[in-house]
Amino acid sequence: MSGIVIATLVVGIIGLVIGIALVATGKKFYVETDPREEAVRECLPGNNCGACGFAGCDAVAAAIVKGEAFVNACPVGNMEMVEKISAIMGVKAGQAVKKIAVVRCAGSCEATHEKCNYVGINDCRAAVLSGISVWECDYGCLGFGSCVSACAMDAIHVENGVAKVDRTKCVGCGQCVKACPKGLIELVRADKKVAVRCSNRDKGAAVKKVCTAGCIGCKLCTKQCETGAITVDGNVAHIAYDKCIGCGKCAAKCPSKIIIEL
Amino acid sequence: MTSLIMIIVTTALVNNVVLSQFLGICSFLGVSRQMKASASLGGAVIFVITIASAVASLLYDFVLVPLDLTYLKTIVFILVIAALVQMVEMFLKKNSPAIYKALGIYLPLITTNCAVLGVALTNVQDGYNLVECVFSGFGTAVGYTVAIVLLAGIRGRIDEDAVPAPFRGAPIVLLCATLMAIAFMGFSGLS
């Protein structure tokens, strides 16, 4: 019986001493932090995904309070979160719309063909460095999946030779954009449901030779667009999302079906 | 002096904490994705284990043994290690923000690293005195750092290789860790 009492007492006393020591250390080594930092940190998702480019949610909260990052620095959070942070920081929320990634290539295995049998390192960046043009189209998706390994959300996959984004899973962190050596992936506004899925800058005839799903620069889409949001620049259509109203008329008219409604 | 060097060699290589005692596997596999992160974690582990083994040894020799409460060592050591990591974190945050920033999230993570507790318990089992405990803790932590940095290097290479689909991700990492463990068995000839 006395053994139990002694054991309880000893562990209790050790706990008490440690507790007091911790409080004392906390007081002695207290570092003044901006109270807003804590408040901003509360609003953030808190899963430390690192998509913002900072070391974690604590780090981005500190950066926001110091003014080194914008209130919408967290690409994962929704509008509500940005509004809350804006309220703490005393700025207006502005335009923080959810963005998702779109792969600007539709060149599947049927549409275009492999020019050579690449057997090097199974990675897009390595394939680009090797200087070999793997597909007939030099601009398109290589399909080795550098973006797939960059994605922390399992939202992008190579299907039939071309990378495809799962819109339900994509959080718009932009990791795949950085990973793609061809610069094919673009972050677009999730609310405008059209996208151009080709990046080939060659003239129409040359495009047709290498890929059946390529933009031939026919400008039919620019004529359809009521707001003038589509321009054909360098033989490939481009949508200015700030003008786009998402009507989908361009997608309906596109002869090679590379402008699609998502 | 020779015995102290012997302790370091034994704990760092022969009885490597990860590869032959299988402690701290969680962070060994979890944080070995990037060389930089694993080196930071290694640094933090060296720091914490060295201090923790000294404090644990003092507490064991001067509190638990005189009171005949050695069976409480696991609970007491956990308490002390958790508190110690907190204090070290606060101290670093105030006095050397540079180290605090470099160790970042890894310092608090070590509270739950079983290698720290493992070292403290093994030390008292082997009947080491204070100085021996510090050296054994330091050696163990160096062994951990060596193992995790090596694995991070191997994983960097693996990412560039055409690994067969069923082995991609965790399986190939476990296989590598196994082969590393077999390689470290070679050090047992040293003792």
Side-chain angles (χ1 to χ4, degrees):
Chain A
M1 190 60 202
S2 71
I4 300 177
V5 175
I6 292 176
T8 320
L9 270 179
V10 167
V11 177
I13 289 170
I14 292 177
L16 194 69
V17 170
I18 288 176
I20 294 171
L22 268 181
V23 172
T25 338
K27 282 261 161 62
K28 187 159 164 50
F29 295 111
Y30 181 70
V31 179
E32 285 281 343
T33 45
D34 201 316
R36 290 180 301 174
E37 218 168 272
E38 190 70 18
V40 170
R41 173 67 185 75
E42 291 287 307
C43 301
L44 293 167
N47 50 356
N48 291 318
C49 69
C52 52
F54 291 89
C57 293
D58 280 330
V60 75
I64 289 175
V65 172
K66 274 186 203 142
E68 288 164 4
F70 293 113
V71 286
N72 58 359
C74 175
V76 179
N78 50 15
M79 196 61 207
E80 199 184 322
M81 183 204 84
V82 178
E83 268 167 14
K84 268 193 210 159
I85 297 178
S86 312
I88 296 165
M89 295 301 297
V91 293
K92 278 190 88 179
Q95 291 291 317
V97 270
K98 183 172 160 56
K99 287 187 168 182
I100 56 153
V102 165
V103 181
R104 286 183 312 181
C105 176
S108 61
C109 292
E110 285 87 46
T112 180
H113 297 95
E114 274 185 291
K115 218 195 242 176
C116 67
N117 187 14
Y118 174 80
V119 288
I121 300 166
N122 202 14
D123 183 278
C124 302
R125 285 161 288 190
V128 167
L129 280 177
S130 74
I132 303 167
S133 53
V134 182
W135 295 85
E136 285 180 336
C137 172
D138 270 342
Y139 300 86
C141 175
L142 296 166
F144 295 122
S146 286
C147 48
V148 180
S149 42
C151 184
M153 299 294 172
D154 191 34
I156 190 162
H157 298 281
V158 174
E159 289 171 16
N160 200 12
V162 59
K164 214 171 164 213
V165 179
D166 183 343
R167 292 174 60 90
T168 53
K169 287 185 185 167
C170 181
V171 295
C173 66
Q175 294 297 324
C176 52
V177 179
K178 284 182 213 153
C180 182
K182 289 280 187 182
L184 288 178
I185 307 176
E186 183 185 29
L187 286 181
V188 301
R189 284 176 58 166
D191 53 340
K192 305 291 168 64
K193 297 201 181 300
V194 283
V196 180
R197 293 208 302 161
C198 181
S199 306
N200 194 317
R201 295 182 162 273
D202 290 341
K203 289 231 168 71
V207 176
K208 269 193 167 169
K209 263 189 205 156
V210 296
C211 183
T212 55
C215 178
I216 50 174
C218 65
K219 300 191 180 174
L220 264 179
C221 46
T222 57
K223 284 167 198 150
Q224 292 302 316
C225 189
E226 287 165 5
T227 54
I230 303 195
T231 46
V232 173
D233 187 20
N235 292 315
V236 62
H238 189 82
I239 301 173
Y241 283 95
D242 49 342
K243 286 187 198 159
C244 175
I245 52 168
C247 65
K249 281 181 185 164
C250 47
K253 272 285 172 188
C254 179
S256 19
K257 301 280 170 254
I258 55 110
I259 303 181
I260 52 153
E261 276 193 87
L262 300 164
Chain B
M1 193 61 210
T2 2
S3 74
L4 291 182
I5 294 173
M6 211 39 224
I7 286 179
I8 289 197
V9 173
T10 313
T11 48
L13 299 174
V14 184
N15 287 332
N16 187 288
V17 65
V18 184
L19 296 171
S20 66
Q21 299 191 59
F22 311 115
L23 290 172
I25 298 281
C26 170
S27 57
F28 176 64
L29 297 175
V31 195
S32 56
R33 211 169 283 250
Q34 285 165 346
M35 183 65 88
K36 206 179 147 214
S38 42
S40 305
L41 180 66
V45 165
I46 293 180
F47 198 73
V48 170
I49 289 191
T50 312
I51 301 175
S53 26
V55 175
S57 159
L58 282 175
L59 203 68
Y60 187 80
D61 286 346
F62 294 105
V63 178
L64 295 186
V65 172
L67 290 169
D68 204 17
L69 288 172
T70 49
Y71 61 92
L72 282 176
K73 57 183 183 286
T74 313
I75 297 176
V76 172
F77 286 175
I78 291 177
L79 253 178
V80 170
I81 291 166
L84 195 72
V85 173
Q86 290 288 313
M87 284 185 201
V88 168
E89 196 187 350
M90 285 190 255
F91 178 78
L92 285 182
K93 197 173 181 184
K94 177 85 173 179
N95 286 4
S96 83
I99 299 182
Y100 177 76
K101 243 187 169 169
L103 297 181
I105 186 97
Y106 300 114
L107 199 51
L109 274 182
I110 292 169
T111 321
T112 52
N113 191 333
C114 60
V116 185
L117 182 63
V119 178
L121 290 175
T122 328
N123 282 346
V124 296
Q125 249 170 33
D126 294 349
Y128 286 160
N129 64 28
L130 178 61
V131 181
E132 285 168 336
C133 275
V134 172
F135 274 78
S136 147
F138 179 74
T140 310
V142 168
Y144 177 89
T145 311
V146 167
I148 197 171
V149 168
L150 283 179
L151 185 68
I154 295 175
R155 285 182 79 166
R157 294 284 183 96
I158 292 175
D159 286 346
E160 291 166 6
D161 285 336
V163 178
F167 286 103
R168 263 174 226 161
I172 191 77
V173 176
L174 285 173
L175 272 179
C176 289
T178 317
L179 293 176
M180 282 171 73
I182 294 175
F184 266 70
M185 273 175 74
F187 285 117
S188 59
L190 278 179
S191 59

